[in-house]
Amino acid sequence: MSIVMITGAATGIGRLTAETLAAAGHTVYATMRDPEGRDAAAASELAALARATGADLRVVALDVTSQDSAEDAVRHILADAGGLDAVVHNAGHLYLGYVEAFTDDDLARLLDVNTIGAHRVNRAVLPYLRQNRSGTLVYVGSTILVTTPPFLGPYVASKAAFDALAVVTSYEVSQFGIETSIVMPGAITQGTRHFANASRATDERVSAQYAVLDPLVERTHEAHEQLFAPGTTADPRDVAEEIRRILALPAGDKPFRSVVDAARAGVDHVMAFSDLTREAFVRRLGFGETLELKR
């Protein structure tokens, strides 16, 4: 079994992944921004679950917008557990509204959480993984970088950047025995607080000029719910189970990319072709070894 750190584990996919991996026998560090404050209820519930089930599930403070916080969390885990085998990059936030109405500060703030946050955590953990010449980075991405629906512009941009950074990082860390898996959930409307907690654009003057589109924006959640065939639901537990499956695979056998999409939008086909094209180009550059795990 592995020692796993999960970011954004207070709610949604992160929380379910922490519970699923702990139940499977992994030692899980469920990190969240403020376990003593706004996330206190989640931290208490996870601690109670660990006591009731005997699972090795521990809560650690980690704010992905702070490099110091990321460094502190990793130092704590290494001292507490004596090692670290896998990181699940899950922390994220949703913006809903008109692209023009999001200020540059709005956009920078979302990129800071959804994209740069994972980079900060990598900068904290990779020195240990490189020295150990093993480990797995699991990125919880999104099919949205392909489907690009309306009214979610900054979120789409942040997840596309997150994916690209994960891909390019994978070339370099593979040469130190570190595997990468990008899990791409499709639209999930139940079991998370993404839509309920979504932030809106702060430039209300510009938003008002788009008011004719407000009815479309307000039914964004409903529009995503109708994507699924009758009797089908997009369960975030499916994502947690896929992460459990991936981490159980031997080193070298983990998929680089996995699409978990109950909406059946065809993103798996798009990404399969995209990755083949990318890999062929990398080989043409003469960098083919970066596509293989060096042990």
Side-chain angles (χ1 to χ4, degrees), residues 35-113:
E36 302 296 325
R38 60 176 288 174
D39 298 321
S44 178
E45 289 163 3
L46 288 174
L49 178 65
R51 289 193 298 270
T53 63
D56 198 349
L57 177 57
R58 316 175 195 188
V59 173
V60 174
L62 196 169
D63 178 356
V64 298
T65 66
S66 164
Q67 188 65 52
D68 286 343
S69 178
E71 301 281 353
D72 287 346
V74 170
R75 275 195 297 267
H76 172 83
I77 293 168
L78 292 176
D80 190 54
L84 183 59
D85 301 304
V87 177
V88 179
H89 290 293
N90 168 77
H93 187 58
L94 183 69
Y95 275 9
L96 176 63
Y98 310 112
V99 174
E100 185 188 348
F102 288 100
T103 66
D104 54 351
D105 286 340
D106 291 338
L107 189 55
R109 192 173 302 114
L110 191 65
L111 287 165
D112 196 34
V113 174

Side-chain angles (χ1 to χ4, degrees), residues 3 26 46-47 73 102 112 130 151 155 160 175 185 223 227 240 243 250 267:
I3 302 167
H26 296 282
L46 288 174
F102 288 100
D112 196 34
R130 281 189 288 103
F151 314 124
Y155 183 73
Q175 301 309 287
L227 290 170
I243 294 171
V267 173

Side-chain angles (χ1 to χ4, degrees), residues 68-262:
D68 286 343
S69 178
E71 301 281 353
D72 287 346
V74 170
R75 275 195 297 267
H76 172 83
I77 293 168
L78 292 176
D80 190 54
L84 183 59
D85 301 304
V87 177
V88 179
H89 290 293
N90 168 77
H93 187 58
L94 183 69
Y95 275 9
L96 176 63
Y98 310 112
V99 174
E100 185 188 348
F102 288 100
T103 66
D104 54 351
D105 286 340
D106 291 338
L107 189 55
R109 192 173 302 114
L110 191 65
L111 287 165
D112 196 34
V113 174
N114 289 2
T115 308
I116 303 173
H119 182 63
R120 290 190 183 98
V121 173
N122 276 346
R123 281 176 52 81
V125 75
L126 282 175
Y128 171 78
L129 297 182
R130 281 189 288 103
Q131 182 180 26
N132 211 38
R133 301 193 74 83
S134 68
T136 304
L137 302 177
V138 178
Y139 296 84
V140 182
S142 176
T143 60
I144 205 166
L145 63 93
V146 175
T147 57
T148 55
F151 314 124
L152 298 169
Y155 183 73
V156 172
S158 70
K159 296 307 281 188
F162 173 88
D163 191 283
L165 199 62
V167 170
V168 179
T169 301
S170 76
Y171 302 142
E172 299 155 12
V173 300
S174 70
Q175 301 309 287
F176 295 89
I178 302 166
E179 286 189 275
T180 294
S181 284
I182 303 172
V183 178
M184 301 176 70
I188 295 178
T189 57
Q190 306 295 327
T192 75
R193 300 287 296 167
H194 250 350
F195 281 100
N197 292 338
S199 295
R200 299 295 182 118
T202 61
D203 192 333
E204 296 179 359
R205 179 187 61 83
V206 172
S207 290
Q209 295 172 32
Y210 283 87
V212 66
L213 299 178
D214 283 354
L216 300 182
V217 176
E218 293 310 313
R219 67 179 183 87
T220 296
H221 183 272
E222 175 189 345
H224 281 78
E225 282 193 320
Q226 61 84 37
L227 290 170
F228 311 112
T232 300
T233 58
D235 192 335
R237 291 184 185 277
D238 293 339
V239 182
E241 283 295 334
E242 177 62 359
I243 294 171
R244 180 201 59 74
R245 184 189 73 84
I246 289 170
L247 291 181
L249 295 172
D253 289 346
K254 296 176 176 62
F256 181 75
R257 195 179 294 277
S258 175
V259 177
V260 183
D261 183 19

